[in-house]
Amino acid sequence: MSVIDFILSWQIILQPFFKMIRRLFSTFIADCPPTGEFLPAPAQSNNLRRPSQGGSETVLPSAFRATALQSLSWLHATSPCFPVPGDRIEVIHEPAAFYNTLLEKCSTARKRIMLASLYLGTGTLETGLVHAIHENLRRNERLQVDVLLDFTRGTRGERNSKTTLMPLVEETNNFRLSLYHTPVLRGLAKRLAPPRWNELLGIQHMKLYLVDDTVILSGANLSNDYFTNRQDRYVMIEDRRLADFYARFLGKVQEFSLTVGRDGATRLHDTWTMLPYKCAQLEFATEARDRVRAFYRQVMKEQRTLLQAHDEGETDTWIFPLIEMGQLGIHHDSVATRQLLSGCLPGSRLRLATGYFNLTETYMRTLTNDCQAQCNILMAHPNANGFLGAKGPAGGIPAAYSLLARKFLETLQSAGQSHRVELYEYERPGWTYHAKGLWYYLPESTLPNVTLIGSSNFGERSVHRDLEAQICLVTTNDGLQRKLQAEYENLLQHSTTAETELVSRPVPRWVRAVVGLFRNFF
């Protein structure tokens, strides 16, 4: 009997042991991130007035005192609220349109460009985008450009994101390149872990694209596939206050990221004193968390004051920015997402999408036991998974996602909930799938009232390892609701129900043996 056969035959008996080892390993890697409440937990009641952090009460916008949106009023205690006319929000459907929009915006930016992504590719399209930014910098001395990428992914290989951007770093002080380095990658792991493998421990995964007073939120990186045939989501918002918020927020993240100098070397930000891989990990995480938390709480107070004086006449859409930085002790987006899932009303509908099906155990329990909505979950078919055909263990990742989805389906069936939750898979010839987010329809609504959009895949990595950002968008604007509905239908047209194929799809034995141990790394 092989080792794999032995493990599989004892899988049920060894499952508690595997869970213990996985938790122990995760704790060792994470070094016990600081605990503490990032922002107040969502209120469980439907009171129309909420206590603020200072002890005073927050008066909700009139729309959230009405019956339709009252069940979502807890959002105002969870995140800053930015009221925006729905007509200033566009939904982009295709990768090429996303690229062309970025290219046009960056070519004509007047005062600022801030791009946050996992990495920047090195192909023709990416070079064209960099060239457009470079030319704009040469023409416009007032333009300030900031790019935030992940250190490990952005420096992988001889030709990489950093080398592509170095000409701009060398030429002008108006361009700044920041590389976030997880404090978990240190010591022997930093010295010995090869490229790609070192990215398992934690990355900068936020996708925020800010040009002047325009913000594009997406799950797409800045590389060729995401500009051509890798399906994602993209929402563009024209609003100065929201743009200012994200500019300030990214500035905070840059403080504890490394800055690339004209000589190509990395150095600390002017306001930071700790190298992420040399100082005490707990000290780094605590200071970073405290800075982000202080900033968020200050914005909460600012927006609360503005909302009290705000004329609600033109407001039909509200933006709630959410972030997640598990390794820094920041659990914000996951708290709001869980509350949204558990608070779904009877008769409502929920549409959830993820590029990689590896929902956290908390999300799966909530969907199974607490959520009262009729749910569809859309994920990538193995043929549309970006890891399909990858070399080494990464080649088994599509099968691992299928196995996790199958186990979730079995859980639903055991709980008698399979009639309420349906699984779909996206498959489009020549395309891969990376779209993620959520569409929520209140009872009796034929169009979505809420969407979550951003970088989170709702998985173990998103909650515990990576830096993530998304928004919760609530709207009563009929035009915007129709755009969001068309967006979902555009994804669904390339999808089929997954239950039958999931049950019969073969999964390599070695994948079944190890997926339980390593699911929080992919």
Side-chain angles (χ1 to χ4, degrees):
M1 177 182 289
S2 69
V3 173
I4 291 177
D5 288 330
F6 173 80
I7 293 176
L8 290 174
S9 65
W10 285 81
Q11 193 171 32
I12 296 177
I13 298 175
L14 294 176
Q15 190 172 14
F17 174 74
F18 283 162
K19 285 186 176 180
M20 181 184 69
I21 293 297
R22 178 159 59 91
R23 287 171 182 165
L24 179 64
F25 187 50
S26 298
T27 301
F28 171 73
I29 292 292
D31 193 28
C32 300
T35 59
E37 197 174 61
F38 178 63
L39 288 173
Q44 297 300 315
S45 66
N46 284 327
N47 294 334
L48 301 185
R49 300 173 73 89
R50 303 291 187 201
S52 70
Q53 292 177 10
S56 61
E57 291 185 330
T58 301
V59 178
L60 298 172
S62 59
F64 287 84
R65 298 196 296 272
T67 303
L69 299 183
Q70 187 176 339
S71 63
L72 301 169
S73 60
W74 57 268
L75 282 163
H76 290 271
T78 304
S79 169
C81 176
F82 293 84
V84 179
D87 294 340
R88 296 184 188 173
I89 301 174
E90 292 296 330
V91 178
I92 300 171
H93 289 248
E94 296 291 335
F98 167 58
Y99 175 76
N100 290 332
T101 301
L102 266 183
L103 187 64
E104 187 274 330
K105 293 284 185 183
C106 290
S107 299
T108 58
R110 300 182 309 277
K111 58 180 180 179
R112 63 185 175 191
I113 299 173
M114 300 189 78
L115 308 177
S117 187
L118 172 60
Y119 69 104
L120 170 77
T122 59
T124 302
L125 294 177
E126 302 94 309
T127 303
L129 180 62
V130 173
H131 177 74
I133 295 173
H134 203 167
E135 289 300 307
N136 198 353
L137 279 167
R138 287 170 172 167
R139 293 191 308 266
N140 183 0
E141 294 182 353
R142 295 177 58 248
L143 181 62
Q144 177 66 42
V145 180
D146 291 85
V147 176
L148 171 66
L149 305 173
D150 180 69
F151 180 91
T152 52
R153 184 63 180 89
T155 58
R156 184 208 294 176
E158 188 172 335
R159 188 181 176 205
N160 52 50
S161 307
K162 179 184 170 185
T163 60
T164 301
L165 292 168
M166 277 309 298
L168 284 73
V169 175
E170 295 166 353
E171 184 171 311
T172 174
N173 290 327
N174 285 10
F175 182 89
R176 177 167 55 181
L177 174 59
S178 300
L179 302 174
Y180 171 80
H181 189 298
T182 173
V184 175
L185 183 61
R186 55 179 52 238
L188 285 175
K190 182 170 176 62
R191 289 195 294 271
L192 300 179
R196 296 181 188 270
W197 289 90
N198 57 11
E199 297 164 27
L200 291 174
L201 300 186
I203 53 175
Q204 191 306 101
H205 196 248
M206 299 184 295
K207 286 65 181 277
L208 297 166
Y209 307 118
L210 164 65
V211 182
D212 290 335
D213 294 338
T214 300
V215 180
I216 299 177
L217 290 110
S218 180
N221 291 303
L222 299 173
S223 68
N224 180 77
D225 289 355
Y226 294 91
F227 296 152
T228 54
N229 62 347
R230 187 156 172 74
Q231 183 65 60
D232 216 299
R233 297 181 67 204
Y234 334 84
V235 167
M236 182 169 66
I237 306 168
E238 302 275 356
D239 185 75
R240 179 180 59 81
R241 284 200 175 95
L242 185 65
D244 288 346
F245 163 78
Y246 275 116
R248 293 164 61 193
F249 167 65
L250 290 176
K252 284 295 171 187
V253 180
Q254 287 177 304
E255 288 179 12
F256 50 87
S257 299
L258 300 172
T259 302
V260 178
R262 290 191 173 187
D263 59 354
T266 55
R267 63 176 188 274
L268 295 175
H269 188 276
D270 293 340
T271 67
W272 195 262
T273 60
M274 296 175 281
L275 274 173
Y277 48 87
K278 290 209 170 169
C279 69
Q281 182 180 333
L282 189 62
E283 184 180 3
F284 180 98
T286 301
E287 177 64 19
R289 181 204 58 185
D290 288 350
R291 291 196 186 193
V292 174
R293 181 170 59 181
F295 163 71
Y296 241 79
R297 292 186 172 184
Q298 178 61 35
V299 175
M300 288 275 284
K301 293 179 182 178
E302 295 171 0
Q303 289 304 112
R304 188 172 291 124
T305 301
L306 287 171
L307 280 173
Q308 290 174 349
H310 179 69
D311 181 5
E312 297 186 35
E314 296 183 359
T315 302
D316 52 25
T317 303
W318 300 265
I319 308 292
F320 299 89
L322 306 171
I323 61 172
E324 192 83 1
M325 300 177 174
Q327 290 184 341
L328 305 182
I330 297 174
H331 294 289
H332 178 226
D333 174 65
S334 60
V335 172
T337 300
R338 181 182 180 186
Q339 175 67 13
L340 186 57
L341 296 177
S342 63
C344 289
L345 301 173
S348 64
R349 291 179 294 147
L350 183 72
R351 306 294 181 250
L352 189 145
T354 177
Y356 309 113
F357 189 93
N358 187 16
L359 301 183
T360 67
E361 293 181 5
T362 297
Y363 290 158
M364 287 191 288
R365 282 197 305 269
T366 303
L367 284 167
T368 303
N369 302 322
D370 303 323
C371 181
Q372 300 184 70
Q374 186 71 29
C375 302
N376 289 352
I377 300 178
L378 178 60
M379 55 193 171
H381 186 279
N383 291 336
N385 192 297
F387 289 98
L388 183 69
K391 296 180 180 179
I397 290 178
Y401 290 132
S402 291
L403 178 61
L404 292 169
R406 181 194 301 172
K407 289 184 175 182
F408 179 56
L409 180 60
E410 293 170 353
T411 299
L412 291 170
Q413 292 169 342
S414 298
Q417 295 296 311
S418 57
H419 68 284
R420 189 179 56 80
V421 182
E422 294 184 278
L423 305 184
Y424 289 80
E425 289 182 326
Y426 179 101
E427 184 177 17
R428 184 178 179 184
W431 286 62
T432 56
Y433 177 80
H434 197 248
K436 69 269 295 184
L438 177 154
W439 299 257
Y440 176 53
Y441 304 68
L442 288 166
E444 301 183 6
S445 178
T446 59
L447 298 172
N449 306 94
V450 178
T451 191
L452 294 183
I453 179 170
S455 61
S456 174
N457 284 296
F458 307 111
E460 296 285 347
R461 283 198 64 100
S462 296
V463 174
H464 300 296
R465 301 206 169 276
D466 302 337
L467 305 191
E468 306 281 11
Q470 65 178 344
I471 60 168
C472 180
L473 182 155
V474 180
T475 186
T476 59
N477 182 289
D478 183 76
L480 179 55
Q481 289 178 280
R482 292 184 184 279
K483 292 174 185 176
L484 292 170
Q485 178 66 18
E487 176 194 37
Y488 180 72
E489 291 175 352
N490 182 56
L491 299 175
L492 201 62
Q493 69 173 321
H494 301 291
S495 307
T496 55
T497 55
E499 283 87 344
T500 301
E501 189 172 345
L502 275 176
V503 172
S504 59
R505 184 176 296 153
V507 175
R509 289 182 299 169
W510 71 268
V511 172
R512 285 185 282 158
V514 303
V515 69
L517 280 173
F518 297 104
R519 59 170 296 197
N520 64 344
F521 288 94
F522 60 87

